[in-house]
Amino acid sequence: MTDTSHISDHLSPLTKEEQDLLDLYAKVKQFEREAAVAKAEAAKAKLDAANEEFQREQEGSTSPTEVVTNSEIKKKKKTKKRKRTDDTGGDDDYLRSDDEDNAELTDTDDEEKQTFRRNEAKIEKLRQERDIVAKQMEKEQASVKKEEQFRKELLESNQGAVDLSGPSLKKKRTNYDLERKSTSLITNMNPNTTPPHDFSKSLGMKSTNGIQLFPDKSKSSESPSDMIWSPPKDASYPEDRCLELDLQEFDSEKVANGEGNNTVAIKFSCPSDSKRFSINIAEPSHENYHSVLFHFNPRQFERGGQVVINDKQVGVWGQGINIPLSTLPLMFGEVSCTLIIQINGDGFDIYMNGQHCARLEHRTPLPQKAKKLILQCPSTDDYNNREDWSIYKIWWGHKPSMASTDLINIPGVNSHISVHSKKLFVSGLPKIHSQPEIDLRRAELERAFRKYGGLQGVTVICPPNSTFAFVEVETERAADNALREMIDKYPRINRARRSRHEALLEQRAAKEAENNGIVKETSEWD
């Protein structure tokens, strides 16, 4: 196998994909040499077998008597030739005596001569095949040596041209590389192809309109392990050694006008067996991420695979936007992916590998005047399960809006955002699993909020495998009293958000009541 250690020394650090490619190249070359040797050995074995077969036929078909007879016939033939030379009979006598000789040899030597000639033809053909194979082997070995020498010289000459700030392999194109046509995997790589862990030039992620936040180029002493971030394997909570970066010089007024820093680009990869990963964008006063402006969370094995996009206000998650993974570009098991988040006056636009996936419209006002936002990549989920993915590069700066004019089919565009007047959202509860636990929690909440439910009592919904519940009271005033009086017992209590479907049902019910002349208590929900 070809030794690739000197290549790794010159180009360190190499990514796993580049090292695998070099190892594959070495294996291919080894297989080519082994195949050529095996082909030559097969030809030689075939030639030896033919020789042995010919010798066995000679030994089996020729007897001592026949050998003597044949020698005597040959002597007689020579004697007759000498007589023809001295004879004055001319050409006719010569032709006649030659025909006689052929007649004498036909009966005794015809079968032996045919077998001999057939064997001679076989041996000659095998010798020609052997010579052809030997020449091909010599030619291939010379080509391999020439290619190895050229690759070594090329890598040594480019040693000073390698950019150690990122795990990329750069090569110079030469006239020799353009003229030659080789089956080598390394030399056939397109030098203009973007490395898998770098941004494509077509995206316009330049230093003139932004900065590279990760890895930090200003830190020249960074070790190769600092060039890639992954959640620590022993992380015990979301903020435990998470990746936090400042999105500096963010101005909401400029963003609304299409100016200023508005784009975050993340180059990452996620193993095929990873369950999930997440990204948060928050204000500096997030209080340990108790409030989050933007939350992006792909979940591979939940409900057939989905991406959850949401926000959090004072510890309460909003109405999430759930998008099936089957409708989006592949994220899990790919060599690398590019996630782009653009902030505009309407909301957060999400692009995965160039496809506009969704929009989370602003649910809380963006921070005013020039300040910064915080980008967080948590180490675990809310239940302290480690998130598995790797980040290679993060860019922050200005980029023109990538959204098209037609946003009808984009999830989250023009979504309905409102709150219930009588339904409360209670979170931060212990997680429940079995049906007896669900019944026990429902009974506990019904007893705790009983005085706010009137004669009919309260309605409690406890989803399985959850840490929250919904409590619907009698009136809006009762909901206000419950929020004020139950805050000590349930610190994470707030009004529940209405979905678009619930809003449509309530509008329909109000319209029917109006047509029937029924006056209902109204409030400013919309």
Side-chain angles (χ1 to χ4, degrees):
M1 180 179 295
T2 304
D3 185 12
T4 61
S5 60
H6 65 284
I7 300 175
S8 300
D9 294 339
H10 292 325
L11 300 178
S12 179
L14 293 178
T15 64
K16 183 178 181 299
E17 290 75 15
E18 291 169 344
Q19 187 61 47
D20 292 342
L21 187 59
L22 291 174
D23 294 342
L24 178 62
Y25 168 76
K27 289 182 179 179
V28 169
K29 289 303 175 185
Q30 181 184 2
F31 293 156
E32 289 176 352
R33 288 192 289 270
E34 291 178 355
V37 172
K39 190 174 181 180
E41 291 179 353
K44 185 176 179 301
K46 188 175 180 182
L47 182 60
D48 294 340
N51 288 332
E52 292 177 0
E53 181 182 358
F54 173 70
Q55 292 176 1
R56 287 195 299 270
E57 291 178 354
Q58 287 293 96
E59 293 175 357
S61 61
T62 305
S63 61
T65 305
E66 292 175 348
V67 172
V68 174
T69 305
N70 291 339
S71 61
E72 291 178 354
I73 293 173
K74 291 179 180 179
K75 288 181 180 180
K76 292 180 179 180
K77 186 175 180 180
K78 291 181 180 179
T79 304
K80 290 183 178 181
K81 284 183 180 181
R82 286 196 296 270
K83 288 182 179 181
R84 286 198 300 269
T85 304
D86 297 336
D87 196 356
T88 58
D91 295 338
D92 293 337
D93 294 336
Y94 177 81
L95 294 174
R96 180 178 52 79
S97 60
D98 193 22
D99 293 337
E100 291 175 357
D101 292 342
N102 290 337
E104 292 176 357
L105 294 173
T106 299
D107 296 335
T108 59
D109 199 33
D110 184 59
E111 183 178 354
E112 180 183 351
K113 289 175 66 177
Q114 291 179 359
T115 303
F116 178 78
R117 289 171 180 171
R118 285 196 300 269
N119 292 334
E120 282 289 343
K122 291 181 181 179
I123 294 173
E124 183 64 24
K125 184 177 180 181
L126 291 174
R127 287 174 179 171
Q128 293 176 358
E129 292 180 356
R130 181 193 61 184
D131 294 340
I132 293 174
V133 172
K135 290 180 180 179
Q136 289 180 350
M137 286 183 60
E138 292 177 358
K139 187 176 181 180
E140 290 177 358
Q141 290 176 357
S143 176
V144 169
K145 290 181 180 179
K146 190 175 181 180
E147 182 179 341
E148 292 289 341
Q149 183 64 25
F150 171 75
R151 184 169 58 86
K152 183 177 179 181
E153 293 175 357
L154 183 62
L155 293 174
E156 290 176 354
S157 63
N158 281 348
Q159 180 180 359
V162 176
D163 183 7
L164 296 180
S165 63
S168 62
L169 180 62
K170 298 183 178 179
K171 293 185 177 182
K172 293 181 180 179
R173 299 190 70 184
T174 63
N175 293 332
Y176 179 75
D177 191 19
L178 294 174
E179 293 174 357
R180 65 199 295 266
K181 293 182 180 179
S182 172
T183 58
S184 170
L185 296 176
I186 298 297
T187 55
N188 279 349
M189 289 177 60
N190 186 358
N192 295 324
T193 302
T194 302
H197 299 150
D198 202 354
F199 293 116
S200 173
K201 294 182 179 179
S202 61
L203 295 176
M205 307 297 181
K206 302 177 182 178
S207 58
T208 56
N209 56 345
I211 59 173
Q212 180 177 302
L213 299 180
F214 179 86
D216 190 353
K217 289 185 176 181
S218 62
K219 298 180 180 179
S220 58
S221 60
E222 275 189 316
S223 63
S225 60
D226 296 330
M227 308 296 284
I228 302 175
W229 181 86
S230 296
K233 294 184 178 180
D234 57 344
S236 55
Y237 55 93
E239 292 78 26
D240 184 10
R241 290 163 287 171
C242 65
L243 181 62
E244 280 186 325
L245 299 171
D246 293 341
L247 306 180
Q248 297 286 357
E249 300 180 1
F250 175 78
D251 192 335
S252 58
E253 294 182 359
K254 289 184 177 180
V255 165
N257 296 328
E259 303 173 351
N261 293 338
N262 65 340
T263 303
V264 179
I266 302 176
K267 197 75 174 183
F268 71 94
S269 66
C270 192
S272 57
D273 58 349
S274 175
K275 294 182 179 180
R276 53 171 281 162
F277 63 91
S278 62
I279 299 169
N280 294 323
I281 296 179
E283 294 187 57
S285 58
H286 53 73
E287 298 181 358
N288 200 24
Y289 296 97
H290 205 54
S291 297
V292 175
L293 298 174
F294 172 79
H295 175 73
F296 179 80
N297 180 205
R299 305 174 184 179
Q300 183 175 194
F301 303 114
E302 183 174 317
R303 297 182 181 179
Q306 63 177 348
V307 173
V308 178
I309 303 172
N310 208 344
D311 76 319
K312 184 193 289 187
Q313 298 180 19
V314 197
V316 179
W317 288 107
Q319 182 70 36
I321 301 173
N322 300 332
I323 308 171
L325 279 177
S326 59
T327 63
L328 304 178
L330 293 177
M331 285 180 268
F332 294 89
E334 294 297 292
V335 175
S336 64
C337 300
T338 302
L339 171 66
I340 296 178
I341 304 169
Q342 284 197 311
I343 310 173
N344 53 52
D346 296 326
F348 296 84
D349 282 324
I350 302 100
Y351 303 86
M352 177 60 65
N353 292 339
Q355 177 179 330
H356 195 176
C357 301
R359 170 182 288 179
L360 178 67
E361 295 183 344
H362 296 307
R363 298 177 176 178
T364 56
L366 292 173
Q368 298 297 318
K369 299 183 179 180
K371 55 190 311 183
K372 67 177 182 179
L373 298 177
I374 306 297
L375 174 67
Q376 184 210 29
C377 301
S379 298
T380 69
D381 60 12
D382 291 339
Y383 307 108
N384 302 328
N385 298 315
R386 177 179 177 267
E387 299 191 340
D388 190 6
W389 65 316
S390 298
I391 296 178
Y392 301 99
K393 283 192 177 182
I394 299 179
W395 182 89
W396 163 248
H398 172 74
K399 184 174 174 62
S401 177
M402 300 170 57
S404 62
T405 56
D406 185 9
L407 301 175
I408 297 177
N409 297 321
I410 303 300
V413 174
N414 298 325
S415 61
H416 184 83
I417 303 174
S418 62
V419 295
H420 280 281
S421 60
K422 299 184 295 182
K423 184 180 288 188
L424 304 177
F425 179 78
V426 183
S427 62
L429 304 174
K431 191 173 184 179
I432 54 177
H433 302 279
S434 62
Q435 187 61 41
E437 291 176 331
I438 295 174
D439 296 338
L440 182 62
R441 173 166 294 176
R442 183 183 294 109
E444 175 188 350
L445 293 175
E446 288 176 350
R447 183 169 56 253
F449 290 87
R450 179 176 52 191
K451 66 178 182 178
Y452 306 106
L455 297 178
Q456 301 295 330
V458 297
T459 302
V460 179
I461 300 175
C462 299
N465 300 321
S466 65
T467 59
F468 58 87
F470 296 95
V471 180
E472 187 171 359
V473 297
E474 183 181 20
T475 62
E476 185 176 358
R477 181 174 296 179
D480 293 336
N481 294 335
L483 289 174
R484 184 174 60 256
E485 297 172 1
M486 301 298 291
I487 189 68
D488 294 335
K489 187 173 183 180
Y490 299 100
R492 294 188 176 183
I493 183 173
N494 209 329
R495 292 190 186 275
R497 292 178 178 271
R498 286 191 304 171
S499 65
R500 181 63 174 168
H501 180 66
E502 290 174 328
L504 293 174
L505 292 179
E506 291 176 2
Q507 291 176 4
R508 182 186 300 172
K511 187 174 181 179
E512 291 178 355
E514 183 180 357
N515 294 335
N516 296 331
I518 302 175
V519 179
K520 295 185 65 176
E521 181 183 358
T522 60
S523 61
E524 295 181 356
W525 293 348
D526 299 333

